[in-house]
Amino acid sequence: MHGEPRYPEGFTHFDYLNPDAPKGGTLKMAVVANGFDSFNPFVIRGVAAAGISGYIYDTLLEYSADEAFSMYGLIAESLETPEDRSYVVYNLRPEARFQDGEPITAEDVKFSFETLTTEGHPFYRNYYADVSKVTVETPHRIRFDFQETSNRELPLILGQMPIMPAHYWEDREFGKNGLTPPVGSGPYKIGAFEAGRSIIYERLDDYWAKDLAVRKGRFNFDRIRYDYYTDDTVALEAFKAGSFDFRVETSAKNWATAYTGERFDNGTIKKEAIEHHRPTGMQGFVFNTRKDVFSDPRVREALTYGFDFEWTNKNLFYGQYARTNSYFENSELAATGLPSGRELEILEQYRSQLGEDIFTKPFAAPSTDGKQGLRQNLRVALELLRSAGYEVREGKMVNTETGEPLAFEILLFQKTFERVVLPFKNNLAKLGIEMSVRLVDSNQYVQRVREFDYDMITQAIGQSDSPGNEQREYWHSSTVDANGSRNYAGVSDPVVDELVSLVIQAPDREELIQRTRALDRVLLSGHYVVPHWHLAKDRVAYWSHLKHPEQTPKNGTDLDNWWAEP
């Protein structure tokens, strides 16, 4: 993306992988969800089986996990792009094949782009919005022209596009393939499966790209099996009983109390907290600002004072977490202190549209440390609510003009999260605010989130080391009404729109950092979430027949494929 790539022409493998890893065996994994009903991960309809996009479909380019954002040829053996990156030409490998033996051609690339951006998930339309023209120049050469020549990311992110066979979909409807195994170009095919309960991916011995540098050391297991569990507690016990091999733990309580016993003591099961240096993004209670109850930022800010992170961390999480104060936490992209230098110059352009606090008060999520603790925070919340036109009548917080109570619902699909939500609910009740908790199954949750049918949800908004076009999907006003977009909060702000464009158009790494910090600061000032917590470690447990890699990549990779031996 910026500067020179780490790996030179002719490199043999990525440094963090073992090119001589033996092949064989079965990797057993688990998914906590209410099953799957589709083998099409590229549409908004249905719930796709775990792993399908990464195992079944290849892309034009492959990313390296030890760089901020560099990509190398996979289906494309080379690319051509001018200094201003106003277009890109991909030259396809003649040996590239789909799993049915048909060659991958430029027509397949064009078909994939047009299908994804017209019939696929809305994400693709936003991600590739700046493509103005697609031209098939030869069977193995395709050109994309861009309408926004300062969008330097496009030649790389187009390379992330999954390539599908046009001939397979010629007599099929793209959004209705259901559980018919598709034809892909990747290292695995779908083997046995039980609808909604389990799926096995089988490694292809004749996979066309197995000897390429970008594939050496990966996809070592003959079979990868996913079993579905509707309850995480059951899944954890199944892991300890040997029903699957590898688990990423997201519960602090489980990590502190459940990974014990003879098999942990004698090393049959290993547990490790592996430090990483990736942006942790933002997890929090997300306000749906499309709803009238959350349309006023003062109300949203007031509610952040009702969440007691320090109590939660001590009593529920065994002190394992740190408070999140940035959408780009744990990285150089995060805004800290007061704006200065180039970041201040950027923000000054919008001073008349921004609150003065952005320039005079560093952002910090409310804390209950100190003598006053939660009581003082609730006082601050009360003052904010009064300024927003609310008052307490007969024990209820109501709008002074309409008399409508301040009440909302938080939508959950994980029962374990109730222990976090209920203390928050109780704190808000002290202010006369009624917060109800609705627990639904994962499929219903997915559908309601896609349709923005919620007041508040718990959501994690991940970030990469090189933010770009995906920021449109998170924050741009064009995505507010696009069902399935990841603009969960309903952000619609002209300043945010312009800052998103600036991030996408950043000409170099240093400018990207400063523009991202400015975007971060404006988003924080909008109080779109009640920030949660983060942990700059991956908590993993695995059975000892899986060997630990010699080196973990700085910027992370697909955890399913870290392991050097089957």
Side-chain angles (χ1 to χ4, degrees), residues 197-211:
R197 300 186 64 180
S198 65
I199 183 170
I200 296 175
Y201 296 98
E202 298 177 349
R203 186 169 62 83
L204 298 170
D205 289 331
D206 60 350
Y207 172 45
W208 74 271
K210 63 182 179 180
D211 294 323

Side-chain angles (χ1 to χ4, degrees), residues 315-383:
N315 291 280
L316 301 182
F317 300 149
Y318 299 83
Q320 294 181 33
Y321 293 116
R323 191 70 188 274
T324 296
N325 284 294
S326 168
Y327 286 89
F328 303 87
E329 190 71 61
N330 196 48
S331 77
E332 63 183 350
L333 302 164
T336 58
L338 292 174
S340 61
R342 176 60 183 147
E343 182 195 352
L344 179 59
E345 289 180 11
I346 296 167
L347 291 171
E348 283 286 0
Q349 302 173 66
Y350 311 104
R351 181 181 279 271
S352 63
Q353 299 166 265
L354 298 172
E356 190 60 25
D357 280 357
I358 283 185
F359 300 93
T360 60
K361 184 180 178 182
F363 178 85
S367 169
T368 53
D369 280 345
K371 293 182 180 180
Q372 298 297 319
L374 179 63
R375 179 173 299 190
Q376 177 59 29
N377 279 2
L378 294 182
R379 287 196 187 104
V380 175
L382 185 58
E383 289 303 312

Side-chain angles (χ1 to χ4, degrees), residues 110-261:
K110 182 180 181 181
F111 164 81
S112 299
F113 174 83
E114 292 178 345
T115 301
L116 290 171
T117 54
T118 58
E119 301 180 51
H121 193 286
F123 164 78
Y124 295 104
R125 284 194 291 278
N126 291 314
Y127 207 41
Y128 301 137
D130 283 335
V131 175
S132 60
K133 185 179 180 182
V134 184
T135 306
V136 173
E137 297 188 344
T138 74
H140 291 97
R141 182 178 169 89
I142 186 167
R143 173 172 170 148
F144 292 84
D145 286 281
F146 309 140
Q147 60 187 4
E148 176 53 76
T149 59
S150 54
N151 189 337
R152 296 180 54 81
E153 195 179 44
L154 273 172
L156 287 82
I157 66 172
L158 275 168
Q160 299 170 337
M161 181 173 59
I163 304 304
M164 301 176 293
H167 66 272
Y168 173 82
W169 290 104
E170 191 173 18
D171 57 357
R172 293 175 171 87
E173 188 173 344
F174 183 67
K176 293 185 178 180
N177 71 317
L179 292 176
T180 301
V183 171
S185 56
Y188 288 86
K189 67 177 182 179
I190 295 173
F193 65 90
E194 187 174 356
R197 300 186 64 180
S198 65
I199 183 170
I200 296 175
Y201 296 98
E202 298 177 349
R203 186 169 62 83
L204 298 170
D205 289 331
D206 60 350
Y207 172 45
W208 74 271
K210 63 182 179 180
D211 294 323
L212 294 182
V214 295
R215 285 300 195 229
K216 280 286 190 178
R218 295 193 66 189
F219 308 114
N220 303 313
F221 295 97
D222 282 346
R223 292 165 299 280
I224 300 175
R225 177 186 177 108
Y226 287 91
D227 288 305
Y228 280 72
Y229 297 83
T230 57
D231 184 273
D232 189 61
T233 301
V234 175
L236 174 57
E237 293 307 312
F239 167 74
K240 292 194 287 186
S243 296
F244 59 97
D245 300 312
F246 176 83
R247 176 176 167 90
V248 178
E249 183 54 70
T250 59
S251 166
K253 180 181 179 181
N254 284 347
W255 192 249
T257 64
Y259 289 80
T260 59

Side-chain angles (χ1 to χ4, degrees), residues 540-560:
V540 300
Y542 55 94
W543 282 72
S544 58
H545 55 257
L546 293 175
K547 306 298 184 183
H548 192 287
E550 294 181 2
Q551 177 185 358
T552 57
K554 175 182 176 183
N555 295 306
T557 187
D558 183 354
L559 288 173
D560 296 351

